[in-house]
C-alpha cells in the first residue's frame, strides 16, 4: 500500500515575462518536487515578497488519493504551510489557498470545507461529470464511451 506524503510540485507555464511562479502544493503518492520550505527559500532568494500555495480540497463526492488529500489530511496541509508562513513572516508573505471542485449535489459540503478555515484565496474548478474525472489522463479511453 502506498502511503500518502505531502509534497510539492513546481510549475511555471503561463507566467508573464519577468515573473516567477512557485507552486502549487500538491498532495501526491510520489515526490514530484521540492518542499514548501525549499520553495519559500527560493522565493526569498529571487526577491519575491509574496507567494501562495494551493492544493485540491478533499473531494466531497468520493475519495481518490491519486489526485487529492482526504478530510483527515486537510489540517496537515494547513499546518505545513502555516509553519512555513510563521518561520518566514519577516521576509515573505505566504498566502494559503485551496482549489475546490464544483460537484452538483455537494454544494453544502463544499461550503462547509471552505468555511472551516480563513483561506486567502479559493480556486474554483470543474474536474468531474458525475464521478467521471474527464480531465484525468487515466480516463482518456472513457471519452470514446461518453456522449459529451
Amino acid at each position: 500500500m502506498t502511503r500518502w506524503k505531502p509534497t510539492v510540485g513546481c510549475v511555471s507555464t503561463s507566467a508573464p515575462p519577468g515573473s516567477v511562479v512557485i507552486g502549487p502544493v500538491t498532495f501526491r503518492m510520489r515526490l514530484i518536487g521540492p518542499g514548501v520550505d525549499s520553495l519559500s527559500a527560493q522565493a526569498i532568494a529571487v526577491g519575491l515578497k509574496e507567494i501562495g500555495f494551493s492544493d485540491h480540497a478533499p473531494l466531497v463526492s468520493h475519495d481518490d488519493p491519486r489526485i487529492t488529500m482526504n478530510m483527515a489530511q486537510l489540517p496537515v496541509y494547513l499546518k505545513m504551510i502555516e509553519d512555513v508562513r510563521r518561520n518566514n513572516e519577516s521576509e515573505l508573505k505566504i498566502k494559503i489557498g485551496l482549489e475546490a471542485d464544483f460537484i452538483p449535489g455537494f454544494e453544502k459540503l463544499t461550503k462547509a470545507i471552505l468555511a472551516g478555515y480563513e483561506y486567502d484565496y479559493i480556486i474554483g474548478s470543474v474536474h468531474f461529470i458525475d464521478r467521471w474525472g474527464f480531465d484525468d489522463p487515466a480516463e482518456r479511453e472513457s471519452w470514446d464511451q461518453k456522449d459529451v
Side-chain angles (χ1 to χ4, degrees), residues 16-89:
S19 65
V20 179
V21 176
I22 299 179
V25 172
T26 181
F27 286 80
R28 296 290 185 262
M29 296 297 191
R30 58 187 167 79
L31 183 66
I32 61 170
V36 176
D37 287 323
S38 297
L39 290 173
S40 298
Q42 180 62 21
I44 293 167
V46 300
L48 294 180
K49 301 298 180 203
E50 181 176 294
I51 62 173
F53 291 102
S54 63
D55 190 20
H56 281 89
L59 288 173
V60 291
S61 59
H62 62 286
D63 283 333
D64 189 342
R66 296 176 307 122
I67 59 173
T68 189
M69 67 185 114
N70 62 40
M71 284 301 296
Q73 295 161 334
L74 181 57
V76 176
Y77 160 73
L78 296 171
K79 183 178 182 327
M80 175 177 62
I81 300 170
E82 287 170 347
D83 289 348
V84 173
R85 180 194 303 197
R86 191 170 28 263
N87 293 336
N88 292 286
E89 64 188 348

Side-chain angles (χ1 to χ4, degrees), residues 18 62 65 76 86 94 98-99 105 134 136 138:
H62 62 286
V76 176
R86 191 170 28 263
I94 297 176
L98 200 63
E99 180 178 346
F134 61 86
D136 182 345

